[in-house]
Amino acid sequence: MKVKLKARIRSKEGLGAGYFILDLVAPPIAAQAKPGQFVMITVSESLDPLLPRPFSILEVGQETVSILIKEVGRGTRILHELISGMSVGIIGPLGNSFPDVSRAALVAGGYGVAPFFFLSRRLREGQVMDFFYGGKSKQDVLFFDHFERLLGRAFCHVSTEDGSYGKRGLVTDLLQPALERPDHGYEAIFTCGPTPMMRAVHELAHASATPCYVSMENMMGCGYGVCLGCVVPTSEGMVRTCKDGPILRSDLIEWESL
């Protein structure tokens, strides 16, 4: 059940390159949240900007919800200027969560790492996740040490387009040989990041007959299925990223129409 409230900013942590984390005191949302879900944040008490912004849930504590933000426009710039003790409007948790599987490949691109941070903290005994992470450069690779500690170094793979961290190239260059192993054992691939990257991951998954789920990060006005601002074309018609997603089966999406 979604909750709407005013959340106090407990802390703000800068990560460099425009990235920062807001820890928001929101116990009813923290108690319900599942990996893959998101929240809508009202960035100002004025009507400018009018619409709230969607953010994946990075992590939850006993009372807090953490979100990862990259300053890219007016709304995120306003959030960047807020300080601890101030409050923002928040609605959540919203959307669906990742399906439960025992072995999966997680494929993240840059800012798309947020839902996988939360997912990795909720692993149950016996679950195995291989983590593939790509960015344009080292400054776009966040929390990789966290994944290495939690999942094990042998299960974590990183690439950057400029070669400043990990292997030079695209994250799909790392994923493809893994999928070509007949014993990879992936029950599913989960991916989040730029649309061209997710489309490339979908195509590799399709070629290897591995189910693939994408976490769509569309802009939206409401977050719960009313405004229809986030619809995605699929073989089953137009679906709402906020209400029917954000986790969608990649084989249903009409990628050429995006």
Side-chain angles (χ1 to χ4, degrees), residues 135-258:
K136 289 186 178 298
S137 64
K138 185 177 181 178
Q139 66 181 9
D140 296 310
V141 176
L142 307 171
F143 316 122
F144 193 67
D145 291 347
H146 157 84
F147 287 96
E148 284 189 322
R149 287 194 302 272
L150 199 62
L151 305 180
R153 183 164 296 180
F155 299 99
C156 295
H157 317 274
V158 63
S159 67
T160 50
E161 295 180 29
D162 64 2
S164 57
Y165 194 52
K167 291 191 175 182
R168 180 187 296 273
L170 302 175
V171 68
T172 45
D173 298 333
L174 303 174
L175 177 64
Q176 183 169 5
L179 290 176
E180 290 173 348
R181 295 198 314 262
D183 61 343
H184 65 69
Y186 298 136
E187 297 174 35
I189 299 170
F190 303 150
T191 185
C192 184
T195 298
M197 185 210 79
M198 293 197 294
R199 178 174 182 170
V201 172
H202 155 71
E203 290 170 351
L204 290 175
H206 180 72
S208 66
T210 307
C212 181
Y213 297 84
V214 299
S215 178
M216 304 297 290
E217 295 187 311
N218 292 10
M219 289 302 294
M220 56 188 71
C222 70
Y224 43 87
V226 175
C227 72
L228 304 181
C230 61
V231 293
V232 174
T234 75
S235 58
E236 297 178 349
M238 303 297 281
V239 302
R240 299 162 295 181
T241 299
C242 63
K243 190 74 173 179
D244 305 308
I247 315 298
L248 301 173
R249 277 175 44 192
S250 71
D251 60 332
L252 298 180
I253 296 173
E254 296 182 348
W255 291 97
E256 66 279 3
S257 299
L258 294 181

Side-chain angles (χ1 to χ4, degrees), residues 25 39 41 46 51 84 90 97-98 101 124 131 136 157 177-178 180-181 195 202 226 229:
V25 179
V39 296
I41 301 291
S46 73
L51 299 177
S84 299
I90 181 173
S97 59
F98 293 106
V101 299
R124 55 180 168 76
F131 180 56
K136 289 186 178 298
H157 317 274
E180 290 173 348
R181 295 198 314 262
T195 298
H202 155 71
V226 175

Side-chain angles (χ1 to χ4, degrees), residues 22-200:
L22 282 185
D23 287 331
L24 304 171
V25 179
I29 298 176
Q32 298 181 56
K34 298 176 181 178
Q37 292 186 300
F38 66 99
V39 296
M40 298 291 290
I41 301 291
T42 301
V43 303
S44 171
E45 293 186 354
S46 73
L47 296 180
D48 182 26
L50 177 63
L51 299 177
R53 269 43 173 186
F55 296 99
S56 293
I57 297 174
L58 176 71
E59 174 64 300
V60 299
Q62 188 171 3
E63 296 185 329
T64 58
V65 174
S66 301
I67 55 175
L68 172 67
I69 304 172
K70 182 177 184 181
E71 185 178 334
V72 294
R74 175 168 165 72
T76 50
R77 184 165 60 251
I78 291 173
L79 288 173
H80 204 174
E81 292 170 350
L82 301 179
I83 60 174
S84 299
M86 300 178 76
S87 297
V88 294
I90 181 173
I91 303 175
L94 299 168
N96 59 5
S97 59
F98 293 106
D100 186 23
V101 299
S102 295
R103 182 173 177 81
L106 315 180
V107 187
Y111 188 54
V113 72
F116 297 137
F117 189 97
F118 191 10
L119 180 64
S120 69
R121 298 296 295 267
R122 293 292 181 94
L123 293 181
R124 55 180 168 76
E125 187 175 357
Q127 277 187 306
V128 177
M129 301 288 171
D130 279 353
F131 180 56
F132 300 87
Y133 194 8
K136 289 186 178 298
S137 64
K138 185 177 181 178
Q139 66 181 9
D140 296 310
V141 176
L142 307 171
F143 316 122
F144 193 67
D145 291 347
H146 157 84
F147 287 96
E148 284 189 322
R149 287 194 302 272
L150 199 62
L151 305 180
R153 183 164 296 180
F155 299 99
C156 295
H157 317 274
V158 63
S159 67
T160 50
E161 295 180 29
D162 64 2
S164 57
Y165 194 52
K167 291 191 175 182
R168 180 187 296 273
L170 302 175
V171 68
T172 45
D173 298 333
L174 303 174
L175 177 64
Q176 183 169 5
L179 290 176
E180 290 173 348
R181 295 198 314 262
D183 61 343
H184 65 69
Y186 298 136
E187 297 174 35
I189 299 170
F190 303 150
T191 185
C192 184
T195 298
M197 185 210 79
M198 293 197 294
R199 178 174 182 170

